[in-house]
Amino acid sequence: MVCGLERIEHEKVFRFSLVALFFLAGGAFAQDIPQSQVPTEVVNNFKKTFPDATDVEWEMDGDRYKVEFEIGLLKMDHDVWYDAAGQVLKHQEEISTSDLPKKVTAAIKRKFKGYRIEDAEKITEGNQVAYILEVKSRTEEWKLAGDSEGNILNKVAD
């Protein structure tokens, strides 16, 4: 029998794994739409939150509105999913490896000796945060999904 705390931890790992699998698989079912087809509430919230966004592209992803854009001098990629009322459901953003939590970089150094982190993305869904990392050695590449504590939740050969 699983006690309450263990069940919560199992649910947390399961939820993060589902998020990770979704992002590792990609959003293959989205359909491009013009901004004129996006509800005003969604567009206004987006413009208020990301006034400096460039290269903005909108998609319908099921019943959610997805916007892809870039921010900053380094043109960091962002994807944000909104509901029809303009509430953010999910935010995926490219980040610098130097912006990763120390626990994450320490775990990679410990669990993947001889690998370097090539790319990093931060995914925020509600109050949960996950990281998608690409790590590379001379002979192997892995795509990892983990949490901010450095736990590796999913690993796929890249």
Side-chain angles (χ1 to χ4, degrees):
M1 175 174 259
V2 177
C3 74
L5 285 177
E6 278 184 320
R7 189 186 67 215
I8 290 170
E9 279 303 308
H10 288 293
E11 289 174 6
K12 181 179 172 185
V13 168
F14 178 73
R15 191 174 306 128
F16 270 128
S17 294
L18 287 178
V19 167
L21 285 173
F22 174 79
F23 285 105
L24 291 174
F29 303 110
Q31 179 179 353
D32 291 346
I33 59 171
Q35 184 172 303
S36 61
Q37 291 182 7
V38 178
T40 304
E41 296 85 358
V42 175
V43 174
N44 289 343
N45 191 11
F46 167 70
K47 287 182 177 182
K48 180 180 173 186
T49 307
F50 303 101
D52 299 325
T54 60
D55 296 329
V56 177
E57 296 178 14
W58 289 94
E59 298 177 355
M60 259 330 276
D61 188 5
D63 62 348
R64 301 173 302 174
Y65 296 88
K66 178 184 175 190
V67 60
E68 298 175 359
F69 58 98
E70 297 175 345
I71 291 183
L73 294 172
L74 298 176
K75 303 276 187 192
M76 299 299 248
D77 292 328
H78 290 253
D79 295 341
V80 179
W81 287 259
Y82 292 91
D83 65 16
Q87 297 300 309
V88 173
L89 302 172
K90 200 177 296 183
H91 181 187
Q92 178 179 354
E93 59 187 302
E94 180 182 13
I95 62 172
S96 169
T97 56
S98 63
D99 291 333
L100 287 167
K102 291 186 187 330
K103 288 181 179 180
V104 172
T105 54
I108 297 302
K109 287 179 184 176
R110 190 174 59 254
K111 297 173 185 176
F112 290 87
K113 289 181 179 165
Y115 286 77
R116 68 185 179 283
I117 301 172
E118 290 284 306
D119 292 308
E121 295 180 356
K122 178 181 178 183
I123 302 165
T124 306
E125 186 172 1
N127 61 358
Q128 294 188 1
V129 176
Y131 294 90
I132 304 296
L133 309 172
E134 291 181 22
V135 297
K136 191 177 194 178
S137 73
R138 290 185 189 176
T139 58
E140 293 183 322
E141 293 182 39
W142 292 95
K143 196 164 222 180
L144 311 173
D147 63 18
S148 56
E149 295 297 312
N151 298 307
I152 306 300
L153 304 172
N154 200 346
K155 178 175 94 169
V156 177
D158 200 20

